Amino acid sequence: DFVVNYVGDSDGLMTKGLLALLIRGMSGCTPEQINAVDPKFIQAAKISQTLTPGRNNGFLNMLAVMKKKALEASEKGEDVVTSGETNGEDDDDDAPTADENDSNIVVTSFDPIDGKPMYNAMLATLITVLKPTSITLVDNSSQHAGHAGSKGWEESGESHFALEIVAEAFEGLSLVKRHQLIYMLLGEVMPKIHALEIKAKSTTEV
């Protein structure tokens, strides 16, 4: 059995993040595994709670398209490539590209640090969703010990971070939108951070 790898893109910031989540989650799976995915997982993962009804439907549509492309690849036994680019911030009907021979080299793992739950959670999320080709996260909390109002410092001594990341997902996005995408992905961690310095580049900028 062969596995399917997906690539795709969108001009919409939110849609780009949702698409990246699906791509990362289903790439490397067989067509049978992909079509066995229960759409209800978005409720179990509480993703649907953060989406408008339109975006929720768009997310389910993207999943349906990816399942369809996986079946086409399985039936034909050859590469199936479709356009996956969309235009418009509010476009929710993205069709990701399925490409069995995608060989982009990305960071897939990191060495967790004991006693640094925020550091570990941030890296795990960014690596899983954005599939960076390079990522460095530095914990500078010790230089700002005791900052008032930092929940992270109170819980685990974590409050200040510096992030450098290179990912294809940033291509075509302004600096502000790149930061917004990262903030969205780190949703549960961000309220605990006192300061996050970000240097985000696309793969064509390095």
Side-chain angles (χ1 to χ4, degrees), residues 159-180:
S159 60
H160 291 68
F161 295 90
L163 171 68
E164 293 187 12
I165 181 171
V166 178
E168 186 178 359
F170 296 132
E171 186 69 36
L173 292 182
S174 66
L175 180 62
V176 171
K177 287 189 175 182
R178 294 177 187 187
H179 287 200
Q180 290 175 338

Side-chain angles (χ1 to χ4, degrees), residues 10 131 145 181 195:
S10 172
K131 302 172 68 175
L181 177 57

Side-chain angles (χ1 to χ4, degrees), residues 7-202:
V7 293
D9 196 15
S10 172
D11 288 340
L13 178 62
M14 179 67 77
T15 305
K16 181 186 287 286
L18 295 174
L19 182 58
L21 179 63
L22 283 173
I23 289 174
R24 182 59 185 173
M26 295 201 291
S27 287
C29 296
T30 65
E32 291 76 16
Q33 291 172 325
I34 292 170
N35 278 275
V37 174
D38 187 345
K40 293 182 180 179
F41 82 89
I42 66 171
Q43 279 88 30
K46 298 183 179 181
I47 297 174
S48 60
Q49 297 179 10
T50 64
L51 304 177
T52 63
R55 291 198 183 280
N56 186 70
N57 289 334
F59 186 81
L60 294 175
N61 288 339
M62 285 190 284
L63 175 60
V65 169
M66 294 172 79
K67 287 187 174 185
K68 178 181 178 182
K69 295 304 177 185
L71 281 178
E72 290 178 359
S74 177
E75 292 171 355
K76 294 183 178 180
E78 58 184 19
D79 293 349
V80 177
V81 180
T82 61
S83 173
E85 292 189 1
T86 64
N87 295 313
E89 188 69 25
D90 295 321
D91 191 343
D92 288 305
D93 297 322
D94 295 349
T97 300
D99 185 352
E100 294 168 323
N101 294 321
D102 179 47
S103 59
N104 292 335
I105 299 175
V106 300
V107 177
T108 58
S109 63
F110 70 100
D111 294 325
I113 300 178
D114 291 339
K116 297 291 183 180
M118 289 172 57
Y119 172 91
N120 295 336
M122 292 167 70
L123 276 181
T125 298
L126 295 175
I127 289 174
T128 299
V129 178
L130 295 180
K131 302 172 68 175
T133 56
S134 175
I135 183 169
T136 302
L137 182 63
V138 178
D139 183 355
N140 294 321
S141 303
S142 61
Q143 301 175 19
H144 308 274
H147 265 239
S150 174
K151 295 181 179 179
W153 176 262
E154 296 173 358
E155 294 179 2
S156 59
E158 299 172 277
S159 60
H160 291 68
F161 295 90
L163 171 68
E164 293 187 12
I165 181 171
V166 178
E168 186 178 359
F170 296 132
E171 186 69 36
L173 292 182
S174 66
L175 180 62
V176 171
K177 287 189 175 182
R178 294 177 187 187
H179 287 200
Q180 290 175 338
L181 177 57
I182 292 172
Y183 295 152
M184 180 192 73
L185 294 175
L186 299 180
E188 293 185 0
V189 177
M190 283 306 302
K192 301 179 181 180
I193 297 176
H194 190 88
L196 174 60
E197 178 184 348
I198 300 174
K199 293 182 180 178
K201 296 182 179 181
S202 69

